[in-house]
Amino acid sequence: AVDNLSVQVNKGDIYGFLGPNGAGKTTAMRMMLGLIRRDAGEIEILGNSNLTQARANVGAIVETPGFHGWTSATRNLEYAAAYANIPGRERKKEIARVLDLVGLTERAKHKVRTYSLGMKQRLAIARALMGRPPVLFLDEPTNGLDPKGMAEVRDLIRSLALNEQITVFISSHLLAEVQAICNRVGIIQKGTLRAEGTVEELLQSHSAEKQVEVGSTDPKALEEALKKLEGIQVVGAGTAGRLRIKLNDVTAGHLNKQLVSSDIEVTALVPVTTSLEDVFMEVTR
């Protein structure tokens, strides 16, 4: 499931751990947390290789979080506080703090079975934040959420890193989400790390060749005109009915001038930028 995996997360990172379903992300996280045994290698969290001790400084959501749906969020967190050995006199204040962080104060007394999936995810993060851990592990935290729920969790993770100074290790296969919130990324496939670095480094190292997308009021005439031009190569279909063009020996401005000279009405000339999805597809194919 995991083969000679080497990952480094720096203090203050929001680190995106990416991979297709079945790549070994959850297995790796369970090993990192000492929930399953590894058969080789070393793991250190905050410099501590004793994972039982290290877990005292870690908050985590691994796979689907579970709650007692018949009782309130506050009561669920009281159980968690007891297991975490948070002193009784401090529990009420700590529970209020984490519920406020995740925006659930007004629903604190409501039964968890009445919560939406997004609210349950936020409650799971609240539970993971109890005791102010400096490191947070989140396994697919936006899985199954609607766009509003995804945005809420995304904003929450950003806030935790920025305002609470928490290092976040987040696994996901939602590449746009990761690109939006993470500063460093590791891509895993079949248990092996295929790429790692800052988002900017990965985008630059896998940047697309100089390409543009060209749109016209007459796509067929555009395609015929492009066949006659030198220094370009038609790559294929782009977005919104445009054609994707590779520029070999010409600039985008020169291409536009040539098309206008050929009586082609150009409606769009859009540079193609590399996304994290492009990097992912390249390193995992």
Side-chain angles (χ1 to χ4, degrees):
V2 177
D3 182 16
N4 196 30
L5 178 65
S6 179
V7 171
Q8 179 172 328
V9 181
N10 302 318
K11 184 177 181 180
D13 277 348
I14 302 181
Y15 186 102
F17 195 45
L18 304 180
N21 291 333
K25 300 188 300 296
T26 298
T27 299
M29 291 181 74
R30 289 172 66 84
M31 283 195 293
M32 292 173 192
L33 292 166
L35 302 177
I36 57 176
R37 294 182 181 177
R38 63 190 185 278
D39 56 15
E42 295 295 330
I43 299 169
E44 286 188 1
I45 298 177
L46 299 173
N48 194 342
S49 59
N50 184 323
L51 299 184
T52 301
Q53 294 177 2
R55 277 202 304 269
N57 295 309
V58 172
I61 303 173
V62 180
E63 298 181 302
T64 304
F67 298 99
H68 299 294
W70 48 269
T71 191
S72 68
T74 297
R75 179 66 70 180
N76 272 275
L77 294 180
E78 285 174 353
Y79 299 147
Y83 280 118
N85 292 319
I86 296 174
R89 63 184 179 278
E90 297 178 12
R91 289 178 192 173
K92 186 175 181 180
K93 184 177 180 180
E94 180 65 2
I95 290 169
R97 183 187 73 86
V98 297
L99 286 173
D100 180 61
L101 277 177
V102 301
L104 288 177
T105 300
E106 293 184 0
R107 296 292 301 271
K109 301 298 182 183
H110 294 199
K111 292 181 179 179
V112 174
R113 69 185 178 201
T114 67
Y115 279 20
S116 67
L117 188 56
M119 292 172 66
K120 289 178 180 176
Q121 288 292 88
R122 283 190 281 151
L123 181 58
I125 294 174
R127 184 169 61 188
L129 290 172
M130 295 190 69
R132 298 179 181 269
V135 179
L136 192 61
F137 281 76
L138 301 177
D139 185 19
E140 304 279 6
T142 60
N143 196 25
L145 300 186
D146 61 18
K148 183 175 184 294
M150 292 170 67
E152 289 173 349
V153 172
R154 182 176 64 233
D155 291 343
L156 174 58
I157 293 170
R158 282 202 197 104
S159 175
L160 292 173
L162 180 63
N163 300 320
E164 301 296 319
Q165 302 301 302
I166 294 175
T167 300
V168 183
F169 185 88
I170 175 173
S171 78
S172 182
H173 59 271
L174 301 176
L175 304 177
E177 287 292 300
V178 168
Q179 185 168 349
I181 64 174
C182 295
N183 66 302
R184 293 185 68 243
V185 169
I187 300 176
I188 184 177
Q189 184 185 37
K190 295 181 180 179
T192 301
L193 192 71
R194 297 297 178 88
E196 185 182 45
T198 68
V199 173
E200 291 78 10
E201 287 170 349
L202 291 179
L203 294 181
Q204 290 175 7
S205 63
H206 295 80
S207 60
E209 297 170 289
K210 192 176 180 182
Q211 295 181 6
V212 296
E213 289 188 358
V214 183
S216 172
T217 54
D218 190 342
K220 289 185 178 180
L222 170 64
E223 192 168 359
E224 289 301 315
L226 288 170
K227 291 178 181 178
K228 301 174 183 177
L229 300 181
E230 296 182 355
I232 65 126
Q233 176 186 343
V234 178
V235 177
T239 57
R242 300 190 290 262
L243 285 176
R244 180 170 290 198
I245 312 299
K246 177 183 175 185
L247 304 177
N248 294 323
D249 301 316
V250 300
T251 64
H254 184 66
L255 171 63
N256 183 61
K257 184 178 180 180
Q258 287 181 302
L259 290 173
V260 172
S261 298
S262 301
D263 294 324
I264 301 297
E265 184 178 349
V266 178
T267 58
L269 188 61
V270 184
V272 176
T273 58
T274 303
S275 69
L276 195 55
E277 181 177 0
D278 298 323
V279 177
F280 181 88
M281 296 302 292
E282 182 176 339
V283 302
T284 61
R285 65 186 175 188

